[in-house]
Amino acid sequence: MRGRWPGWLRRALLLFLAGPPLLILIFRFVPVPVTPLMLIRAAQGYGLSKDWVAYSEMTPALAHSVIAAEDNTFCTQMFGFDLPALQGQIAAALEGERPRGASTLTMQVAKNLFLWPGRDPLRKVLEAWLTPQVALLWPKRRVLEVYLNIVEFGPGTYGAEAAARDFFNRPAARLSAAQSAQLAAVLPSPLNWSAAEPGPYVRDRAGTIRRRTGQLGPLLDCAG
C-alpha cells in the first residue's frame, strides 16, 4: 500500500495536513508578520501600514464594537462556527435563495491567516477546515487579538493601532466608543467606506453598533 504513493506526494500531503496546525500553534504566541491579503493589496498599490500591539493595549470598546458588528455570538461558539446561522443559510440555499453568509470572527481569522479573498468554493472549504483548528488551539482573547491586529480597516491599513493612528491620530488604547464603532462599521467594505470621514451610511451603521453593544451584556464577557 505504501508503495502506491510517491514519496513527494506523501511529503506534500503531510505538509498540507501538519503545516497549518503548526503555524496556528506558533501564532498563538508569536505576532503574525504578514497575511496573504496584505501582500495582495501591496501588489495592487495600496501600501502597507500596520503596527502590532497587545490586546491589553487596545480599548475594550473596539473588541466590543467588532463583536456587535460582525459576530454577536462569538463568545459562546465552541468550534468557531455560528451553527444556527449556518443552518439558516443552508436552508435558504436549498430553497433557492442567495446565502448572505454566516462568517464568524474565527472564520475570518482563519481566512486572513492563510487564504485569499473571494467566495469561491475551494476557499470556503479550506476556511471551514482551518476554523476549528484556530478555535481549539487559541483562547477567545487570542482570536480577538490576532483579528484586531491583521484585519483591514482601510486601503493599506491593517490592525487597530495603525487604523487609530492613521484615521484618528491616537493610539488604539485611546479610541473612543464612537471611533471604535466607526472602525467596526467599515469592516464589510474597508476599501470603499472611511472611518475617518464617514458618510451617512457608515455613521448610521456606527450608531447601530453602539446601541447593539449596549444590548449584548454577557455575550461580551470573553472580550474583557
Side-chain angles (χ1 to χ4, degrees):
M1 176 67 71
R2 185 174 178 180
R4 297 179 184 178
W5 291 80
W8 68 267
L9 185 56
R10 290 198 301 271
R11 289 191 293 271
L13 182 61
L14 179 62
L15 180 62
F16 177 76
L17 293 176
L22 179 60
L23 283 174
I24 290 169
L25 189 58
I26 291 171
F27 286 144
R28 174 172 177 171
F29 306 102
V30 176
V32 178
V34 72
T35 67
L37 179 64
M38 293 177 189
L39 297 176
I40 291 170
R41 291 285 191 255
Q44 294 171 338
Y46 287 106
L48 179 55
S49 175
K50 66 182 184 69
D51 186 7
W52 186 281
V53 294
Y55 187 76
S56 59
E57 296 178 35
M58 305 178 198
T59 175
L62 183 56
H64 295 173
S65 294
V66 166
I67 291 173
E70 297 284 293
D71 187 5
N72 292 180
T73 65
F74 169 75
C75 289
T76 65
Q77 295 160 10
M78 293 294 294
F79 299 103
F81 300 110
D82 185 343
L83 295 180
L86 281 175
Q87 291 169 354
Q89 293 308 305
I90 292 171
L94 291 175
E95 293 177 2
E97 300 178 13
R98 182 179 179 182
R100 291 178 295 177
S103 182
T104 66
L105 293 178
T106 311
M107 293 169 69
Q108 293 180 50
V109 166
K111 176 195 70 176
N112 288 340
L113 277 177
F114 296 105
L115 304 175
W116 59 94
R119 296 181 177 273
D120 53 285
L122 176 60
R123 201 222 71 189
K124 298 300 291 184
V125 168
L126 292 174
E127 181 183 289
W129 175 59
L130 292 165
T131 294
Q133 298 178 53
V134 173
L136 291 171
L137 291 173
W138 292 1
K140 295 287 188 184
R141 195 162 295 189
R142 180 58 175 176
V143 176
L144 286 170
E145 182 176 50
V146 172
Y147 179 88
L148 289 170
N149 270 291
I150 66 175
V151 70
E152 184 181 34
F153 281 112
T157 299
Y158 303 91
E161 187 70 10
R165 294 190 181 279
D166 288 354
F167 302 147
F168 302 113
N169 197 29
R170 63 181 60 195
R174 292 182 50 231
L175 287 169
S176 69
Q179 290 165 340
S180 297
Q182 286 172 216
L183 286 172
V186 305
L187 289 174
S189 188
L191 296 184
N192 299 308
W193 299 339
S194 171
E197 299 178 357
Y201 178 79
V202 171
R203 287 197 299 269
D204 182 65
R205 179 172 163 80
T208 299
I209 290 169
R210 291 190 67 182
R211 290 191 295 272
R212 188 178 299 160
T213 299
Q215 297 165 354
L216 289 179
L219 289 175
L220 297 174
D221 283 352
C222 72

